[in-house]
Structures are given as structure tokens and as C-alpha cells.
Amino acid sequence: MQKLYIMSACILLGSCSSFVTRKEMNSSQVTHQELREIIHEAISPIKEKLALKNAEEKDKAALLANSSESEDTTEALSIDESEGPKSSTFDPRSELHLDYSDELFTFWINYFSKKSPERFTRFMVNGDRYKEITQKVFKDHNLPEDLFFVGFIESGFNNHAKSHASAVGPWQFIKGTAKRYGLRVDKHIDERRNIHKSTVAAAGYFRDLYNIFGSWELALCAYNAGEYRIINAIRKGNTRDYKELVRKKLIPKETIYYVPKVAAAREIFMNPHKYNLKAVTSPETIYEHSDLVEIGKPVDLRKLSKHLSVSLDDMKKLNPDILHYYAGTKRGKLSVVVPKTKTTLAESFRGSKKVETVREVASGSDQYYYVQRGDSLYSIAKKFGTTIRELKAANGLTRSFIYKGQKLVMPDDSVSAKKYVVRNGDNLYKIARKFKTSVKKIVTINSLKDMTIYRGQELSIPQG
């Protein structure tokens, strides 16, 4: 009956088997409450058996204690008790005490320190940059600060990391799990890449996993392999003991290696000299003195950087989740990361909603064009009725290499253009009529792939 219930639950979740990995979880299929109820039903028989077994063991211990056993027996019993639960001063929610195979731990120590020291050193540099930010978030959520090392082995704290399974960012969230924990993922913003926002989501996920499984070993296994795969292993093995599940080979090999891998990364990071690695302290960066500020309105990073007197390059580094320069709000909310000294100034920023509807690209006698994705000097020259040679001469270019966002000066005889910010109800036909041009010209000059435009989007309008 129990098996039928679990199978039915998994069918409702859209799974062909009794587990769904972290890479496949779809947030629209199950709520947090439903997840807990299903998991509770799945492991309750195991809990009952374990409780019965514990009660029997206590009865046996009581009988032995009351019997006239020798001193050796009494001493042996006291030793057994000393190997029982940790002291009451240990808080499993705020300390990451892990039990794992010494052999696998040694394997990872040797791998990181001897086979791949350069890569591990690079990870240490990145990790040191974000350590204070991530550990503060975990501390605020009453979680072990050493969960920092999960992000360390997941991505090396590369905000742009992307796996073959489309897991993205320092915590390697897939889209479904990211949305389930409050992150925004769309064509304009991918908050999985933002260290501040994604770490808060990771804290929520870790908290739920610990509440479900009751041990950090199993919580980390579930983070790696998915909640349902670990539940399936628990049911098959009739145990929630991590080392017993490993012994029975009921969890994937990669997941068996995962817990000692986290422990080994922590050991080397904390004691680099012991393993012939140099202690790493990354130069003080803008990340360590940054904070999250809710703007609440659409933001153009170019305008915000000018408002804050912070370089555009720094603003892009602080906000890798904003995929282009412009980001609109969703449900009236939009948060950006700014230097701590600029938080008050950032809160006064009105966003990009209030910009002038039309403004000239030209500044004085010069006309500018910002390079867009897919542009080349040939396509730009064609758009503005000039030549590649004239474009290079106007911008002092010796090669044909250009990059997205680059500001190019247009030669004096090129076609002039204006900027228009799309409003509610606009379409390309209406805009073309308004400025006495053609839809084709607008599409061409803006490198649009189709006729889709959105409110707040900046369009170049060809003139003349």
C-alpha cells in the first residue's frame, strides 16, 4: 500500500520513477508543503522501524546495566555510550560536522593538492572574494557557515559557471529550483548569477533539505543528486545512515564522493601550507563592500553608474544577473548591488522609467552608436550608410574587433539617429509612422530578430 502511494505521488509530480534529481525538478509540479508531506509519508515506516529498534536496544542496555556483569563488561558499555550522540553543546544547524570515508577524503586531498593545485588555488582566490558575503548569509539563517564550501566545489565561485545540465551560477541552480526559492530567471535577468541573491536562495534550500533528512550528510547528498533520489535510497536500504547507504551502494558514485569532497576542500582551504599550497588573500574588491538595494523601478545600468559616479564596468561586475544594460521590474520589485557607500544615493535613483521619450544620439557634432549583440563593422557601416574604413578612422581602430556595449563614433556623413524608449501600447508600425521612417529600417538599425519589442526598450530611430 505504501509503495502504491509513493508511486502515485511520483506520477503526480510528472516523474517516470520514484525520484526526480535536482537537475530535473520542476517547481510548478509540487509546493513546499506537498513536498514535505510526500517525504514524510515515504520515510515514516523507516522512522517507526528505527524507533522500535532503538527501544529494543535501550531495553537490552537496561538489562545489562542491572545484571551482575564484570567490570570489563561495564567498561565496554561505557565506551559504547561515549560513541553515541554528540554533546548537547553541538548545534547541527549551525555546525557542519560530517561523517565520511577516510579513504575518499584522502583521495580528494591528494587530487586537489597534487593533481590539480593550480585549479584549486584559482578556486581559493574566487572563494576568498565571496567568503564573507556567503558566510554572513548562512549565519543570519542559523546555518553552518562552512556550507560556503559547497559553492566552492560546485562552481569555484564563478558567477557565470554553467553546467551541461543548464545549472547556472555559484550554487549551480537549475531554473526550476531557482524559481522555487524566489530567484528571477528570464531573458533580462538571471539572479542565479548574483552572489547576494543566489546565496539567500541556497540558504533556503539547505534549510529545507536539513529539515527533511535530519543530517548534513544526507542533505548534501540530496543537494547533489536530488531529494527524491535520496528518499528512494533510504526506502530501499531501510536506513537513514549515510555510511550504511554508501556501503550498500544505494546512492550514485558521484554523490558518494560528494561529502568527503566538501570536507577535503574545507581542510585544504583552512590549512593550505600543510598541503604545500600558498595561503591566498585576494585583493580587496568592490564585492566585499557592496550591498543589495531595492530600486523598485526599471534600471539602466549606464544611467545608474553615472548617478552613483561608479564605473559601468564595476556596476556590471556587481550585477552579473542583469544580462543586458537594461532591466525592467517584475511585480514592482528590482534589486541591484551597489557599493555600501552609495546605498543612500542608489535609493534616490528614479530608474529608467522617467527618461525622455526621444533623445539625440549625437553629443555636440559627434554621433554615437552602442554595439549590440551580433554587430560587426560591416553591418554597422551598412546601417549608417558609411564604410568600414571610415568607421575605423573615426574610432582609431586598427583591427575589426568590436564588443557588445562598445561606444562607436559615427562619421559625420553617416545617417543620423535618435533614441526612442518604447511605451505601453507601442508597436514597430506605430513608431515608424510617428518618425516618418519604415519598420524595415528600425528592425535593421536595431538588429532585431523579430517584431517583438517591450516597454522601456531603447530603439535607435534612423533619420534622413
Side-chain angles (χ1 to χ4, degrees), residues 4-23:
L4 286 172
Y5 179 86
I6 296 299
M7 288 177 67
S8 301
C10 290
I11 290 167
L12 287 172
L13 290 172
S15 172
C16 297
S17 64
S18 59
F19 61 85
V20 177
T21 68
R22 177 165 67 98
K23 301 291 187 280

Side-chain angles (χ1 to χ4, degrees), residues 311-322:
S311 74
L312 182 58
D313 187 51
D314 282 347
M315 288 302 296
K316 285 293 287 181
K317 286 178 181 176
L318 287 172
N319 296 276
D321 53 324
I322 298 179

Side-chain angles (χ1 to χ4, degrees), residues 58 146 216 220 229 241 245 335 406:
K58 284 181 181 178
D146 281 353
W216 281 117
L220 294 185
R229 193 158 198 175
D241 184 281
L245 292 173
S335 297
Q406 184 177 359

Side-chain angles (χ1 to χ4, degrees), residues 84-95:
K86 306 292 182 185
S87 80
S88 58
T89 58
F90 168 61
D91 181 0
R93 290 177 179 273
S94 58
E95 298 179 53

Side-chain angles (χ1 to χ4, degrees), residues 358-364 366-368 416-419 461 463:
V358 180
R359 63 179 174 82
E360 292 288 341
V361 175
S363 173
D366 291 329
Q367 298 176 24
Y368 299 110
S416 63
K418 290 184 177 181
K419 287 286 183 182
I461 309 297
Q463 303 292 301

Side-chain angles (χ1 to χ4, degrees), residues 218-270:
L218 292 183
L220 294 185
C221 285
Y223 190 89
N224 176 253
E227 301 96 310
Y228 291 95
R229 193 158 198 175
I230 301 307
I231 292 167
N232 192 49
I234 289 171
R235 293 184 65 246
K236 282 184 178 178
N238 198 28
T239 179
R240 286 190 295 159
D241 184 281
Y242 162 70
K243 294 184 89 171
E244 186 66 12
L245 292 173
V246 170
R247 189 186 69 79
K248 292 180 177 180
K249 297 181 179 178
L250 291 172
I251 50 181
K253 186 176 180 180
E254 178 192 346
T255 306
I256 290 173
Y257 278 69
Y258 195 76
V259 173
K261 187 178 184 181
V262 172
R266 175 175 61 182
E267 167 66 15
I268 299 176
F269 187 93
M270 302 302 289

Side-chain angles (χ1 to χ4, degrees), residues 134-337:
T134 55
Q135 291 194 330
K136 182 181 184 303
V137 171
F138 292 136
K139 185 177 181 181
D140 291 344
H141 285 78
N142 194 28
L143 290 169
E145 293 180 25
D146 281 353
L147 287 171
F148 158 80
F149 293 101
V150 176
F152 189 95
I153 65 169
E154 283 284 338
S155 67
F157 282 101
N158 176 0
N159 291 328
H160 300 283
K162 185 174 182 179
S163 75
H164 66 279
S166 297
V168 173
W171 299 103
Q172 289 292 279
F173 278 120
I174 61 163
K175 188 174 182 179
T177 307
K179 288 192 169 186
R180 184 152 55 103
Y181 285 89
L183 296 179
R184 178 178 168 187
V185 182
D186 56 41
K187 64 181 181 180
H188 303 299
I189 291 184
D190 189 346
E191 292 183 336
R192 294 175 293 179
R193 301 173 186 269
N194 186 299
I195 189 67
H196 291 265
K197 301 173 187 178
S198 63
T199 303
V200 172
Y205 192 30
F206 283 129
R207 183 186 60 242
D208 282 353
L209 291 176
Y210 182 82
N211 288 341
I212 290 166
F213 295 102
S215 80
W216 281 117
E217 291 86 2
L218 292 183
L220 294 185
C221 285
Y223 190 89
N224 176 253
E227 301 96 310
Y228 291 95
R229 193 158 198 175
I230 301 307
I231 292 167
N232 192 49
I234 289 171
R235 293 184 65 246
K236 282 184 178 178
N238 198 28
T239 179
R240 286 190 295 159
D241 184 281
Y242 162 70
K243 294 184 89 171
E244 186 66 12
L245 292 173
V246 170
R247 189 186 69 79
K248 292 180 177 180
K249 297 181 179 178
L250 291 172
I251 50 181
K253 186 176 180 180
E254 178 192 346
T255 306
I256 290 173
Y257 278 69
Y258 195 76
V259 173
K261 187 178 184 181
V262 172
R266 175 175 61 182
E267 167 66 15
I268 299 176
F269 187 93
M270 302 302 289
N271 306 285
H273 293 302
K274 184 177 174 182
Y275 301 98
N276 298 318
L277 293 177
K278 292 181 179 179
V280 171
T281 305
S282 62
E284 196 170 88
T285 64
I286 53 174
Y287 303 102
E288 296 157 57
H289 303 286
S290 61
D291 214 346
L292 204 59
V293 175
E294 189 170 305
I295 300 294
K297 291 187 177 181
V299 166
D300 186 323
L301 285 183
R302 292 169 292 199
K303 296 179 184 299
L304 182 58
S305 68
K306 288 179 182 178
H307 180 76
L308 300 178
S309 298
V310 176
S311 74
L312 182 58
D313 187 51
D314 282 347
M315 288 302 296
K316 285 293 287 181
K317 286 178 181 176
L318 287 172
N319 296 276
D321 53 324
I322 298 179
L323 304 180
H324 310 290
Y325 292 109
Y326 180 86
T329 58
K330 196 167 187 178
R331 295 185 294 274
K333 292 182 179 179
L334 180 67
S335 297
V336 293
V337 180

